[in-house]
Amino acid sequence: RQIERSINECDQATSEVVRGYCLAVRGSLTNDGRPPLDASGLKLQERLSLIEASLERVAKKGAYQNP
């Protein structure tokens, strides 16, 4: 939530993208509610890896500048 609050000064498009990533991470963390070593933990790891890969692609393109 701290990240979401910190983007208030960004333009609307950037804010929406960052909020989307925050929601994806929050949803991944709270989706199954089981410890990381359960099968659901593997799903969590996969979801977070996909989010990380997406963020890396955005950073490579230079589409996001840290405020």
Side-chain angles (χ1 to χ4, degrees):
R1 300 217 185 249
Q2 181 181 2
I3 292 171
E4 290 173 288
R5 282 188 221 109
S6 72
I7 59 168
N8 288 336
E9 298 171 9
C10 296
D11 62 77
Q12 185 170 355
T14 300
S15 296
E16 288 179 22
V17 170
V18 173
R19 281 190 189 97
Y21 277 111
C22 289
L23 286 172
V25 170
R26 189 178 308 119
S28 294
L29 291 172
T30 60
N31 189 36
D32 296 325
R34 295 194 176 103
L37 297 178
D38 288 346
S40 61
L42 297 174
K43 291 179 192 175
L44 170 62
Q45 193 276 332
E46 180 182 349
R47 291 178 192 135
L48 293 177
S49 293
L50 291 171
I51 294 168
E52 179 183 27
S54 178
L55 286 168
E56 288 173 356
R57 287 191 302 273
V58 169
K60 256 187 191 174
K61 290 180 184 178
Y64 174 72
Q65 300 296 321
N66 196 356

